[in-house]
Amino acid sequence: MESRLHVNAASDGGSSSSSPRLPDHKLYPIDANGIQLMLGGMASAIALVSPRKSLNLYDSPVKYLTVTATVLFLYYAILAFAGIYCFKVPTTRRKSLTTGARIAAVLYMGVATIAASLAISLGLVLFGAPFASQHAETFMAALNMALLGITPAILTLKPSTEAWVKALLSGESKSVPELWAAGLFWSTFVASWSAAYFIPLDWDRPWQKWPIPTVGGAFLGNLVGLLYVLLRCFVLPLARADYAETERSKRNMVRELSGSLPQSAAKKEM
């Protein structure tokens, strides 16, 4: 599918400016990345499922969030070690990657995620999280938020301030990797921040206990971000490419018909 779309895109380069415009970014194959998207959704779903009745988010938030963080970290670690993370096109063949380089990629992901977790923990405290107590709950919540919203960017974007600012903060047109990173980042943290609104309400519900709303909002926002990425980066580009191909076929048919009409008219005159 990828080769067909690229050939069509190349052949459309010499057409008139009024022809449908294909996306600027590369049309990645949908199969491999679609599988990884499903794996990400499955990892999020598995992380929300309690392995046994005695371990739940209400009674044992630290242990429960440790399970979710472990599931997510292993998911990202496997993809980073194999070098098959979403949208990251390898410059060399995967077989040429040494074991040391694969381990270094996993270590870089882990260290960067921990650093992001510490920064998020500080932000949570500044925005009202308990300062003198529940330190473990706050850090585990921050770790899960980092794995959901920042680790995808760590694995996708270049380790430079310019790349991160362009992907997450600028209004410029973005490539598919940048859309992937920005979609998961903003959906995770906006949903988490919005869900924290329910904590101070006097409803006396068990799910209002810190940090359940914040973490639940992060997981919900991450799943919404996965859906956004699927539509924005896969469905729409493929639909536009199919539309452009259909329009080119129509124009070619019209040219063939218009070219045959004068010949048929000349034969009638003779």
Side-chain angles (χ1 to χ4, degrees), residues 7-200:
V7 170
N8 293 335
S11 62
D12 191 54
S15 60
S16 61
S17 59
S18 61
S19 61
R21 183 174 178 272
L22 292 176
D24 293 332
H25 58 72
K26 181 180 179 182
L27 295 174
Y28 291 83
I30 190 171
D31 296 336
N33 293 292
I35 291 173
Q36 292 174 27
L37 277 175
M38 289 186 288
L39 286 174
M42 290 173 59
S44 299
I46 293 173
L48 287 173
V49 177
S50 176
R52 59 181 184 272
K53 294 182 179 179
S54 61
L55 178 62
N56 58 74
L57 187 57
Y58 302 119
D59 300 330
S60 306
V62 175
K63 293 181 180 179
Y64 186 85
L65 293 178
T66 302
V67 173
T68 61
T70 302
V71 172
L72 292 172
F73 181 84
L74 290 177
Y75 164 67
Y76 291 125
I78 291 172
L79 293 182
F81 184 84
I84 58 173
Y85 190 70
C86 291
F87 309 120
K88 200 156 190 177
V89 181
T91 55
T92 58
R93 294 183 179 180
R94 293 171 187 169
K95 294 182 180 179
S96 64
L97 294 177
T98 62
T99 304
R102 298 174 188 272
I103 295 176
V106 176
L107 291 177
Y108 167 74
M109 182 268 295
V111 172
T113 300
I114 294 297
S117 303
L118 294 175
I120 295 173
S121 299
L122 178 60
L124 292 176
V125 171
L126 293 177
F127 277 95
F131 175 75
S133 62
Q134 295 183 296
H135 299 141
E137 287 86 347
T138 300
F139 177 76
M140 292 310 302
L143 179 59
N144 279 268
M145 293 169 64
L147 287 166
L148 292 170
I150 295 182
T151 304
I154 293 173
L155 293 175
T156 305
L157 302 177
K158 295 180 180 179
S160 65
T161 304
E162 181 181 357
W164 281 67
V165 169
K166 181 179 183 297
L168 303 181
L169 300 178
S170 71
E172 304 176 6
S173 59
K174 296 178 174 58
S175 62
V176 176
E178 291 168 343
L179 286 172
W180 163 264
L184 293 184
F185 177 85
W186 286 111
S187 62
T188 298
F189 285 98
V190 170
S192 179
W193 177 80
S194 301
Y197 168 80
F198 297 98
I199 295 178

Side-chain angles (χ1 to χ4, degrees), residues 239-252:
R240 291 170 184 168
D242 290 338
Y243 172 77
E245 183 178 1
T246 302
E247 291 299 312
R248 284 194 298 271
S249 300
K250 290 181 180 179
R251 290 196 301 271
N252 293 334

